[in-house]
Amino acid sequence: MLHYLIKRTLILLATLIVASLVVFITIEVVPGDPASYMLGLNAQEDTVAALRAELGLDKSRVARYFSWVGGLVTGDFGTSYTYRTPVADMIRDRMWISLPLAVFALLLSTLIAFPAGVFAASRRGGITDTTVMGLTQLGVAIPNFWFAMLLVLLFAIKLTWFSAGGFAGWDAGFFAAMKSLTLPAIALALPQASILTRVMRSSLLDVMNEDFMRTARAKGLSRRQALWKHALRNAMVPVLTIIGLQFSFLLAGAIIIENVFFLPGLGRLIFQSIASRDLIVVESVVMLLVLAVVLVTFAVDLAYAWVDPRLRSSR
Amino acid sequence: MNDSLLQLQDLNVSIHDTPILLDVSLQVDAGSVLGIIGESGSGKSMTALSIMQLLPHGSSLSGQIRFDGLQIDSIDEEQMCTIRGNDIGMVFQEPMTALNPVQNIGTQVAECIALHKAVSRAESFKQAAQVLEKVGLPNAQFPLTRYPHELSGGQRQRVVIAIAVALEPKLLIADEPTTALDVTTQEEILQLLKQLVDESDMAMILITHDLAVVSEVADNIVIMRAGKVLDSGPTKTIFNELKHPYTRALYEASSHTPERGAEIKKTSALVEINSLICEYPKARKTFFGPREKFRAVNDVSFKIYAGESVGLVGESGCGKSTLAKALLGLSPIQGGQIHLHGEQLQAGVALSRRVRREMQVVFQDPYSSFNPRHRVGRLITEPLHVLDNQPSSKERQQLIESTLESVGMSGEDADKYIHEFSGGQRQRIAIARALIIRPALIVLDEAVSALDVSVRAQVLDLLAELANTHELAYLFISHDLSVVRSITDRVLVMKDGQIVERGDTEQVFVAPEHSYTKKLLAAAPQLPTSSAQVIGR
Amino acid sequence: MKLRSLLPGAVLVLLFFSSALISYIWTPFDVTLIDIKSRFLAPDATHWLGTDHFGRDMLSMLMVGARTSIAVAFVAVGIGMLFGVPLGLAAAAHRGKFLDEAIMRGNDLVFAFPALLIAIMITAVYGPGALNAIIAIGIFNIPVFARLSRGAALSLWKRDFILAARAAGKGITRISFEHILPNITNLLIVQGTIQFSLGILAEAGLSFVGLGAQPPIPSWGRMLADSQTLIYTEPQLALFPGLAILLTVLGLNLLGDGLRDWLDPRLRRER
């Protein structure tokens, strides 16, 4: 177990280091100088130089990489080129919309997919199975931002149950805030729930063909008991893999969905920053999202070990 | 007649309208052992699944199954669940996959007890411990918290047996319970089953393809083929009389000895292996420091003379397959030398074409030995590319035809795909592939182990004939002692990476010297030698 | 039995592919023509699907938009296969060696960057465009195909016919192409259609947020983005582009499912 844990941690750190290099180098090759871009065409040369010094742009690339990474580790993300405010502050406010949105959507999708997948698998070939599978076919194919627009049309414009966009803010209370995240979370969750349902079902069906399921039946367990007691946990490995992958899709999807609902999250921040060439913000937000994805992958790896004792002991 | 514990009357089963069982009738008396014998596709496993009412989806069943006064074929699923595990226990062929990999063994045995008895959780675990003790897994060594992957194949089979007998059922169905196990383990498991039957009044159905295994254990025998019962009766009578032609054919195939040519003169060593060492790195236990190594082949030396047939016997994990792969240049060697025609092969360097031409191989599994996307003609000509002068397409065609004919196939088979052939035919094609470049040595790695006895006899005959006509040497690797005895001149016995005994085959089999060889020979189930003397149970 | 998904899938895919092809020669109306007078027309006999806020014919826009979506997704899948499959085969052939480990860790690294993040980074540097979307989706496809082919190849490497080929003296590269590749083709075709459909979804998403094809090139994602601001007054504008994406993706997924069942010899034998 310890060996497995150490190996996973080392992989996590290595991935983060290489990812930070990739992000830094990609953004660094940008032609042009942020300082002169910020000050406009008519800026004095010494003003530009002063700003370059202030932003740390006069240092070597290697030095800047290390000060950037060092800042990331200590929570100092640098200063926004455009707003001249600490990037960390800008990110902190917005993160508390994007992250809850992604988590909310992940919860929703898991809560829909588990029962649906088990249900379909246990009634394989029946009408419920066919219906669930048909619906998931649609769910997989629907673009989530279009689905979001349809939700707005129905629930905000026609029924006026929800507001069409905007964020109430956490100050307005938990439920008010969650309410403004509900439609976006549903839009994000449904396509992912469809995928997860399909994976859950097929993984369960695979396990149900295994020899040990026959042993379980020979003990006198009914089909359903065998499914719950023996198949479910064995079917979890592929399901966990998909849940892990989905988190990164959900984060990315959240960036797009925020646009539909005018949520002031990381997605909006990133698009504004691209428009104003505020690259230090782009750099930091991308790195933050990568960190989130890598951490979730790590958590999934640990969950494997929890599900499968073979990983705990042999490796 | 109605007193018997289990009675099958005119049982018919079909799956998706394909008939699987045809009018099967048999009976098992309380406390007795019935052996069901049949080759693959005979319907023997389906008979067992019918009794358990666990037939695959899309099956339909007609006829009667009476068990202990109950009409099993017509009771509902809920009631059947109370019978399974409680009154009828079942043991399966493949112990490696028959247990839930993510549950410990205690939980799996206790579950069965808790399911049928109103006992507390703690009590069910206590009883599970007792059952495991009874099947030879004492708690001190095998605590309930062990997971299946921490046990060997034989130990796992004991856990499966523990689950099956935990509630002292009236009937135990064992479907090929020892087929996947080594000879010595097979013997232990058979002894355990015998002992369990003797100690209680449990009846048993033992399903197997192996006549010898059944003859040691069963009171009565049923012989099945293609879904039908062909012959049945008390074990003694069946073996004494061999009345039914199929029974006789099976019996003869099981003890078949192919006719082999005159003994060859050991003039020059074809292959000479000196102090060969092969090692594998073990899975890492600690993160730092060097990996531990496992020595699969440890200081092995032997020779094979031209035209000679040498047997290599041993149980799984003894290193015999690694040795074969090293010889063929498929796995690296860590020490020692291999000489071919007196020339040393370079360790770690791909074998030259000239060497490749001399050695070919036939593997065990006729199903995974061929690329399913190529036609037979292309499959068997694969080795031709080691020739320096590639044959013209006409020569190639003739070669394919003559080679296929020499293994008992026809030239027309060259245009077919491999899935169109049976297991025995595939093994013939595998031999054709090895033969096509006229090698001096063919390594046969468990080449007949996956075949039914009757097919196996034919393939052995073919091998003996080819050795005579082509002056072939064989390295015949097998765990099956009787087959090795029938086809080899000399034999090497391997254990834990070393050769513990060697000598002329008859010599070793009649008067073994090493204790391990003796143990192996004692464990191998014996077919009743003459049909007149069967020692019943 | 499962073949029922093959036919509807093939029909849908054919419909959108052919309309994309036809749009090169002919569209009902010129999509570059802006006619403010006839904007927001409801569907009728001349404009089957109505017109947009610039008075452009929706059907013609959708036909040309199909071109963009399909081209982007197709090239992206091509990139994924072209790089991913050889990497996966090489990793499998050198199982457990340094090369395998390096390729798999590289895969993990790319998986940490959802396609959208790659697109964001490229856009930040080079500005938006369709090429941007192709590269971003393409890069994300590489590890998908690498993993798939490695996994499938690994199980083939354990088979005896590979050992037999090695015993016949064939080298690793030759075996990979002669024996492994033909045996994973079906799998690649099926995964290819799935990645194709995901590519269409991803392209639409990128265009929707302005990271994909730029005006005046019509694309389904952009059409939806344009309709979003008009959703209160002209909700019908959001309908057709969304349906187009949905049906194309659905068609590709059905086709993929159908192909998998049809190509799987195990399922075929059962019938």
Side-chain angles (χ1 to χ4, degrees):
Chain A
M1 183 67 196
L2 186 70
H3 172 233
Y4 181 78
L5 203 71
I6 295 174
K7 189 178 173 193
R8 291 289 122 192
T9 314
L10 286 180
I11 289 175
L12 169 93
L13 290 176
T15 312
L16 283 177
I17 291 169
V18 181
S20 70
L21 273 171
V22 170
V23 172
F24 186 77
I25 290 169
T26 315
I27 305 285
E28 271 296 304
V29 298
V30 174
D33 172 29
S36 39
Y37 182 84
M38 283 159 64
L39 293 172
L41 290 171
N42 303 323
Q44 300 284 320
E45 238 175 71
D46 50 340
T47 340
V48 175
L51 183 63
R52 285 176 57 89
E54 189 194 326
L55 296 174
L57 291 172
D58 56 343
K59 285 186 269 181
S60 77
R61 290 193 165 164
V62 179
R64 271 191 293 157
Y65 171 74
F66 281 109
S67 77
W68 177 60
V69 171
L72 286 181
V73 174
T74 54
D76 171 17
F77 290 20
T79 310
S80 157
Y81 297 161
T82 333
Y83 298 103
R84 302 286 185 97
T85 50
V87 177
D89 294 347
M90 298 167 72
I91 290 179
R92 193 176 309 119
D93 294 343
R94 289 165 168 86
M95 203 169 71
W96 283 112
I97 295 174
S98 300
L99 213 58
L101 178 57
V103 173
F104 191 6
L106 192 67
L107 276 177
L108 267 182
S109 107
T110 317
L111 287 178
I112 298 170
F114 266 67
V118 175
F119 204 57
S122 64
R123 287 168 177 72
R124 181 191 192 177
I127 294 177
T128 21
D129 183 24
T130 319
T131 319
V132 170
M133 282 299 100
L135 285 177
T136 58
Q137 253 326 342
L138 281 180
V140 171
I142 203 165
N144 54 19
F145 52 93
W146 184 58
F147 185 52
M149 289 164 70
L150 296 182
L151 288 176
V152 168
L153 256 179
L154 179 63
F155 291 105
I157 299 178
K158 283 262 154 54
L159 299 170
T160 63
W161 291 355
F162 293 91
S163 64
F167 183 62
W170 293 104
D171 301 333
F174 179 74
F175 286 103
M178 288 307 273
K179 194 179 171 191
S180 26
L181 292 183
T182 301
L183 283 189
I186 293 175
L188 271 175
L190 217 66
Q192 300 301 331
S194 304
I195 296 173
L196 201 57
T197 305
R198 295 180 79 85
V199 174
M200 184 89 207
R201 173 182 177 272
S202 67
S203 173
L204 270 174
L205 290 180
D206 283 350
V207 172
M208 279 150 91
N209 282 330
E210 299 267 355
D211 282 354
F212 65 81
M213 291 301 289
R214 205 176 44 185
T215 310
R217 294 300 312 282
K219 277 182 196 176
L221 291 168
S222 69
R223 254 179 82 80
R224 191 160 305 172
Q225 284 172 318
L227 182 102
W228 281 105
K229 292 190 177 165
H230 292 278
L232 209 53
R233 189 157 166 199
N234 277 286
M236 282 314 289
V237 168
V239 173
L240 282 174
T241 311
I242 298 299
I243 290 181
L245 277 180
Q246 283 196 333
F247 189 74
S248 71
F249 285 120
L250 285 171
L251 267 182
I255 291 175
I256 295 178
I257 291 291
E258 282 167 13
N259 263 1
V260 181
F261 290 94
F262 306 104
L263 293 174
L266 288 177
R268 304 262 295 173
L269 177 64
I270 233 176
F271 290 119
Q272 284 164 8
S273 309
I274 290 176
S276 56
R277 303 195 64 73
D278 201 345
L279 295 181
I280 189 147
V281 178
V282 178
E283 224 170 36
S284 300
V285 176
V286 167
M287 202 51 221
L288 198 72
L289 294 174
V290 169
L291 174 72
V293 172
V294 174
L295 282 179
V296 168
T297 315
F298 181 67
V300 167
D301 280 338
L302 294 190
Y304 285 157
W306 169 67
V307 166
D308 194 336
R310 283 167 291 190
L311 285 178
R312 260 178 267 160
S313 57
S314 61
R315 269 192 269 165
Chain B
M1 180 139 165
N2 278 339
D3 296 327
S4 49
L5 178 70
L6 175 79
Q7 195 172 356
L8 268 57
Q9 193 77 51
D10 298 328
L11 188 67
N12 282 282
V13 170
S14 55
I15 301 179
H16 295 300
D17 298 327
T18 311
I20 303 292
L21 296 182
L22 296 161
D23 294 328
V24 170
S25 300
L26 54 86
Q27 64 179 58
V28 182
D29 294 329
S32 75
V33 177
L34 174 73
I36 301 184
I37 301 171
E39 298 186 294
S40 49
S42 62
K44 55 192 195 298
S45 290
M46 281 300 155
T47 310
L49 292 177
S50 305
I51 300 167
M52 291 297 273
Q53 293 285 299
L54 284 177
L55 286 167
H57 265 284
S59 317
S60 59
L61 181 150
S62 70
Q64 290 190 355
I65 308 173
R66 287 185 65 80
F67 172 76
D68 201 22
L70 277 166
Q71 203 74 29
I72 285 192
D73 52 281
S74 58
I75 65 174
D76 63 2
E77 173 65 18
E78 206 177 313
Q79 199 182 348
M80 196 61 217
C81 281
T82 65
I83 295 174
R84 287 189 208 116
N86 197 15
D87 296 321
I88 311 178
M90 186 156 177
V91 177
F92 302 94
Q93 171 172 357
E94 197 37 84
M96 303 312 270
T97 52
L99 292 170
N100 185 344
V102 305
Q103 258 183 13
N104 63 40
I105 58 173
T107 312
Q108 297 192 52
V109 180
E111 180 183 36
C112 188
I113 296 164
L115 192 67
H116 296 286
K117 272 198 208 168
V119 292
S120 69
R121 193 181 141 78
E123 175 63 21
S124 72
F125 274 86
K126 211 181 115 201
Q127 292 186 9
Q130 288 165 357
V131 178
L132 283 169
E133 188 106 37
K134 194 163 93 176
V135 298
L137 297 176
N139 269 285
Q141 274 168 278
F142 304 96
L144 299 179
T145 50
R146 283 287 176 94
Y147 283 96
H149 69 268
E150 296 166 318
L151 303 177
S152 71
Q155 289 160 355
R156 290 188 208 195
Q157 196 63 308
R158 285 173 193 271
V159 177
V160 178
I161 292 173
I163 293 173
V165 302
L167 292 147
E168 294 171 351
K170 297 181 181 107
L171 175 65
L172 177 68
I173 302 176
D175 186 0
E176 302 263 16
T178 59
T179 308
L181 303 174
D182 278 325
V183 204
T184 48
T185 322
Q186 159 167 304
E187 177 64 13
E188 287 164 23
I189 295 290
L190 281 178
Q191 291 300 334
L192 172 65
L193 289 173
K194 238 195 274 189
Q195 173 203 333
L196 289 169
V197 171
D198 286 344
E199 281 171 4
S200 63
D201 59 350
M202 182 172 73
M204 178 164 79
I205 296 180
L206 179 67
I207 297 169
T208 178
H209 66 283
D210 191 334
L211 284 179
V213 164
V214 160
S215 69
E216 290 190 354
V217 183
D219 302 309
N220 293 293
I221 284 182
V222 162
I223 293 181
M224 292 184 69
R225 187 193 189 189
K228 286 186 199 153
V229 172
L230 293 187
D231 198 2
S232 65
T235 308
K236 278 184 191 172
T237 327
I238 293 270
F239 280 113
N240 270 330
E241 298 177 357
L242 294 178
K243 215 164 47 189
H244 195 284
Y246 180 66
T247 311
R248 179 172 290 273
L250 261 187
Y251 182 87
E252 278 167 3
S254 300
S255 54
H256 181 76
T257 306
E259 226 164 278
R260 309 188 54 229
E263 209 165 311
I264 47 98
K265 278 182 234 143
K266 294 175 187 175
T267 44
S268 62
L270 173 63
V271 174
E272 189 174 349
I273 290 178
N274 286 318
S275 342
L276 187 71
I277 291 171
C278 300
E279 287 172 340
Y280 287 118
K282 279 190 191 170
R284 277 179 185 275
K285 286 237 173 67
T286 50
F287 204 78
F288 301 100
R291 281 175 142 188
E292 280 180 58
K293 281 180 179 160
F294 171 71
R295 197 164 270 204
V297 175
N298 187 5
D299 193 14
V300 164
S301 309
F302 65 89
K303 288 179 187 170
I304 301 173
Y305 293 93
E308 186 189 29
S309 173
V310 176
L312 180 61
V313 227
E315 298 188 290
S316 58
C318 72
K320 57 190 195 301
S321 284
T322 310
L323 176 58
K325 281 184 191 160
L327 172 60
L328 291 162
L330 298 178
S331 82
I333 62 177
Q334 273 70 37
Q337 305 98 35
I338 302 174
H339 293 270
L340 185 82
H341 286 314
E343 182 200 348
Q344 184 175 346
L345 308 185
Q346 298 270 299
V349 177
L351 297 186
S352 67
R353 294 163 149 227
R354 208 169 48 73
V355 173
R356 289 274 183 224
R357 280 197 294 255
E358 299 291 333
M359 293 191 292
Q360 283 296 311
V361 60
V362 176
F363 295 105
Q364 169 174 8
D365 183 359
Y367 292 88
S368 83
S369 292
F370 299 98
N371 188 339
R373 307 207 153 254
H374 292 170
R375 290 174 202 275
V376 168
R378 182 166 175 194
L379 289 173
I380 66 167
T381 50
E382 179 153 45
L384 287 184
H385 90 118
V386 298
L387 297 181
D388 291 328
N389 304 315
Q390 289 297 314
S392 69
S393 69
K394 199 176 152 205
E395 286 167 342
R396 191 176 274 260
Q397 219 50 48
Q398 280 168 351
L399 198 55
I400 291 172
E401 214 161 288
S402 64
T403 312
L404 280 175
E405 276 162 16
S406 69
V407 296
M409 309 284 290
S410 90
E412 291 157 22
D413 294 328
D415 292 327
K416 294 184 183 161
Y417 286 100
I418 198 68
H419 67 256
E420 298 173 54
F421 297 96
S422 69
Q425 289 171 319
R426 287 178 200 210
Q427 224 47 343
R428 286 173 189 270
I429 295 170
I431 294 168
R433 173 169 62 189
L435 207 59
I436 199 162
I437 48 167
R438 300 273 176 265
L441 170 72
I442 296 183
V443 176
L444 300 154
D445 190 354
E446 301 275 6
V448 297
S449 303
L451 303 176
D452 280 326
V453 275
S454 50
V455 179
R456 185 171 73 196
Q458 293 162 9
V459 173
L460 286 175
D461 280 341
L462 171 68
L463 287 173
E465 180 200 321
L466 290 174
N468 288 342
T469 50
H470 291 80
E471 270 200 35
L472 269 172
Y474 293 137
L475 178 61
F476 196 96
I477 301 169
S478 181
H479 69 281
D480 188 329
L481 297 166
S482 68
V483 170
V484 170
R485 186 175 190 175
S486 72
I487 188 112
T488 62
D489 304 307
R490 278 193 307 134
V491 67
L492 312 165
V493 181
M494 199 166 175
K495 181 178 189 279
D496 298 336
Q498 289 182 310
I499 289 175
V500 295
E501 181 157 4
R502 63 180 80 210
D504 289 340
T505 303
E506 275 313 304
Q507 182 72 35
V508 170
F509 273 78
V510 174
E513 278 173 12
H514 194 275
S515 60
Y516 179 68
T517 316
K518 288 177 187 163
K519 193 175 145 201
L520 270 186
L521 285 170
Q526 293 291 313
L527 204 59
T529 39
S530 120
S531 54
Q533 24 172 264
V534 177
I535 302 107
R537 191 169 63 89
Chain C
M1 176 193 107
K2 283 272 187 72
L3 282 183
R4 62 190 167 186
S5 64
L6 190 62
L7 190 67
V11 169
L12 280 173
V13 170
L14 211 65
L15 178 76
F16 284 96
F17 273 54
S18 52
S19 54
L21 282 178
I22 292 170
S23 78
Y24 280 102
I25 337 168
W26 174 83
T27 49
F29 290 87
D30 186 353
V31 293
T32 54
L33 211 68
I34 293 177
D35 179 8
I36 301 293
K37 267 180 294 178
S38 54
R39 66 180 178 167
F40 301 140
L41 289 183
D44 61 23
T46 26
H47 297 283
W48 287 3
L49 301 180
T51 59
D52 71 354
H53 57 296
F54 285 133
R56 293 174 293 188
D57 177 55
M58 286 292 275
L59 180 60
S60 313
M61 293 281 288
L62 284 182
M63 285 174 70
V64 183
R67 212 152 83 185
T68 317
S69 286
I70 289 169
V72 170
F74 189 79
V75 178
V77 171
I79 292 176
M81 281 197 183
L82 199 67
F83 292 94
V85 175
L87 282 174
L89 290 181
H94 298 274
R95 175 184 195 177
K97 305 262 177 62
F98 176 75
L99 185 68
D100 181 23
E101 191 71 10
I103 290 173
M104 292 320 287
R105 291 287 83 81
N107 271 348
D108 290 348
L109 181 70
V110 179
F111 267 129
F113 291 87
L116 187 77
L117 286 193
I118 303 177
I120 285 172
M121 293 206 306
I122 303 175
T123 310
V125 179
Y126 296 104
L131 190 66
N132 179 347
I134 290 179
I135 294 172
I137 303 169
I139 289 179
F140 197 68
N141 270 333
I142 294 174
V144 172
F145 284 103
R147 264 189 197 198
L148 179 79
S149 25
R150 177 178 179 270
L154 275 185
S155 69
L156 285 170
W157 273 102
K158 288 186 200 137
R159 302 267 293 269
D160 285 343
F161 73 82
I162 302 293
L163 265 182
R166 287 178 62 204
K170 288 191 173 164
I172 301 182
T173 317
R174 185 160 174 190
I175 289 176
S176 287
F177 283 98
E178 204 169 297
H179 289 293
I180 308 271
L181 195 57
N183 277 295
I184 64 171
T185 318
N186 288 351
L187 212 58
L188 292 176
I189 291 172
V190 172
Q191 191 66 35
T193 55
I194 291 169
Q195 292 308 118
F196 202 132
S197 76
L198 289 178
I200 286 189
L201 278 175
E203 189 275 337
L206 291 177
S207 304
F208 182 75
V209 290
L211 297 178
Q214 294 300 301
I217 304 171
S219 84
W220 294 343
R222 276 213 67 76
M223 291 169 75
L224 280 174
D226 290 342
S227 76
Q228 201 208 331
T229 48
L230 303 161
I231 196 157
Y232 285 93
T233 49
E234 308 291 338
Q236 82 280 359
L237 288 187
L239 189 64
F240 296 116
L243 271 182
I245 299 171
L246 175 72
L247 290 176
T248 311
V249 174
L250 184 68
L252 281 166
N253 285 340
L254 288 174
L255 184 68
D257 281 4
L259 277 178
R260 185 189 52 215
D261 295 346
W262 184 57
L263 293 171
D264 188 341
R266 275 178 309 165
L267 291 171
R268 229 185 313 178
R269 214 179 301 138
E270 271 177 26
R271 276 198 305 275

